[in-house]
Amino acid sequence: MVAVAEIEIKNRVFKPGETVTGLSEADKKWMLEKGYIKEPEKKQKPKGNANEL
């Protein structure tokens, strides 16, 4: 999970863009619904050109 807003969990502060750890399933659910956290974006590997060696 990635923080969208600045949030405090168990005396730790997560700023936007940071990976959030230590959440229960219930906390993940309501924080996703309210927009405090989001699923991490999947990074795609750049596809190389077949003509390049």
Side-chain angles (χ1 to χ4, degrees), residues 42-50 52:
K42 295 181 181 178
K43 296 180 181 176
Q44 293 182 345
K45 294 181 183 177
K47 295 183 179 179
N49 186 340
E52 293 178 355

Side-chain angles (χ1 to χ4, degrees), residues 10-53:
K10 299 179 184 176
N11 297 326
R12 290 185 61 197
V13 176
F14 296 94
K15 297 186 186 214
E18 291 185 330
T19 300
V20 179
T21 58
L23 291 176
S24 67
E25 289 300 317
D27 286 338
K28 283 181 187 177
K29 183 178 178 182
W30 76 262
M31 292 181 104
L32 275 168
E33 289 175 359
K34 297 292 183 180
Y36 290 111
I37 59 175
K38 66 179 180 178
E39 294 285 343
E41 295 177 10
K42 295 181 181 178
K43 296 180 181 176
Q44 293 182 345
K45 294 181 183 177
K47 295 183 179 179
N49 186 340
N51 294 328
E52 293 178 355
L53 296 177

